Amino acid sequence: MRIFLTGATGFIGSAIIPELLRSGHRVLGLTRSATGAQKLIDAGVEPHRGDLEDLDSLRSGAAQADGVIHTAFDHDDFSNFVANCEKDRRAIETLGSALKGSDRPLLITSGTGMGNPTEGGPATEDVFNVKHPNPRIASEMAGAALLEAGVNVSVVRLPQVHDTVKQGLITYLVDVARRTGVSAYVGEGANRWPAAPVLDVARLYALAFARREAGARYHAVAEEGVSARDMAEVIGRGLNVPAVGVSSEKAAEHFGWLAAFVSLDMPASSALTRARLDWHPTGRGLIADLEQMDYSRASH
């Protein structure tokens, strides 16, 4: 198949490419720049110039493909997270519009929080909490509308995806600790974040795409929940700064835009995903990757 991959030069997208090529697919990769285009060519991918706000480029890329994997998201400025989520909604709607009237699959990306039941407990794949306050709900709402319109949409929900260089939102926690001289958590730090190694996540995308199951939801979760305190302590050791708790009242002052996330308890299960896709993550855990990270260089 010829697959249009958005976010092709990104952290997760670039890891998906080898998985798709090994399966015999051809990849058309979205990129914003000439540098990115050359990177894709070197990886054996045909570049397609455009970005998330160039809806014509998204539409034409999807029109040329036998299916779409959408991993691109604007991570440049999380202080504009709501606007970034709306940008993603428009991108998903546009990609889906090019696939209407066919069975060509569209695999989109969301967060595990969308599977949180209203009563609490770990997020699961069989739950879609349409009232979830996270603005990223816009991505899945767009996907649900396309599914209703007959588009073959499925979704991969992401935890904190990691290697020894990047770890999702935790990368920004490292930056805050480096800047402030303390590695902080809120309260007792008992809240948990799910996590998975990037290469295991890439393999899951390839498996989910191959399944082509309309309406399916998959959780790319290797660890159901790593505590905020454990994360802060290993970051503190890496930077040689103390790990300390801050009150919820002081969180906004200390963390800035990250304050909206740092105290959330977000455990997530992947039991249904593992059973449906025979997916079994084998990479190192989050704490192990944080222990092996080079803290001498800035994250960004």
Side-chain angles (χ1 to χ4, degrees):
M1 295 177 67
R2 190 182 197 212
I3 300 170
F4 181 42
L5 174 64
T6 73
T9 60
F11 181 48
I12 295 173
S14 61
I16 293 173
I17 288 170
E19 294 287 341
L20 298 178
L21 296 180
R22 275 195 291 269
S23 297
H25 299 301
R26 292 171 294 142
V27 180
L28 179 67
L30 183 70
T31 180
R32 294 178 290 183
S33 68
T35 301
Q38 187 58 55
K39 179 180 178 181
L40 292 178
I41 292 170
D42 293 344
V45 170
E46 179 185 350
H48 180 78
R49 293 293 291 273
D51 59 47
L52 286 178
E53 295 186 283
D54 182 353
L55 300 184
D56 287 339
S57 73
L58 297 179
R59 192 176 293 109
S60 65
Q64 298 176 54
D66 299 310
V68 178
I69 299 177
H70 175 53
T71 67
F73 189 83
D74 187 349
H75 295 98
D76 293 338
D77 185 2
F78 270 98
S79 64
N80 288 325
F81 187 56
V82 174
N84 295 346
C85 292
E86 283 302 303
K87 187 187 302 184
D88 194 55
R89 175 186 60 78
R90 292 190 294 271
I92 291 169
E93 290 172 348
T94 300
L95 292 167
S97 71
L99 302 175
K100 282 183 179 178
S102 75
D103 191 43
R104 291 177 293 163
L106 169 60
L107 181 59
I108 66 173
T109 302
S110 180
T112 56
M114 305 316 115
N116 281 124
T118 54
E119 300 82 9
T124 58
E125 300 92 330
D126 56 347
V127 170
F128 176 30
N129 184 358
V130 297
K131 295 183 179 179
H132 198 283
N134 189 324
R136 194 71 193 265
I137 194 72
S139 301
E140 285 204 40
M141 294 297 285
L146 288 172
L147 184 68
E148 186 71 20
V151 179
N152 184 349
V153 181
S154 53
V155 58
V156 171
R157 291 171 171 167
L158 297 179
Q160 305 306 304
V161 181
H162 59 85
D163 62 9
T164 58
V165 177
K166 292 186 176 182
Q167 302 87 24
L169 290 176
I170 300 160
T171 296
Y172 299 93
L173 288 177
V174 175
D175 290 344
V176 171
R178 182 180 284 112
R179 187 183 71 248
T180 62
V182 296
S183 182
Y185 50 88
V186 177
E188 297 298 317
N191 58 297
R192 299 153 293 169
W193 288 1
V198 64
L199 295 182
D200 285 315
V201 172
R203 185 160 48 86
L204 187 148
Y205 270 95
L207 290 169
F209 185 82
R211 190 175 173 91
R212 300 170 64 100
E213 182 180 345
R217 309 183 194 100
Y218 305 104
H219 282 192
V221 172
E223 294 178 279
E224 183 170 304
V226 181
S227 78
R229 183 163 186 163
D230 286 346
M231 292 186 285
E233 288 178 346
V234 71
I235 291 168
R237 291 194 297 270
L239 291 172
N240 196 26
V241 299
V244 300
V246 299
S247 68
S248 56
E249 292 79 12
K250 295 285 187 180
E253 178 184 347
H254 183 83
F255 292 103
W257 62 264
L258 266 172
F261 302 95
V262 289
S263 62
L264 295 178
D265 189 37
M266 304 185 290
S269 169
S270 60
L272 295 177
T273 296
R274 294 177 191 232
R276 291 168 180 165
L277 297 180
D278 194 24
W279 177 70
H280 304 285
T282 59
R284 282 191 302 253
L286 172 61
I287 297 300
D289 267 353
L290 286 171
E291 286 175 337
Q292 298 195 30
M293 189 166 73
D294 181 2
Y295 288 87
S296 66
R297 65 181 188 177
S299 304
H300 304 290

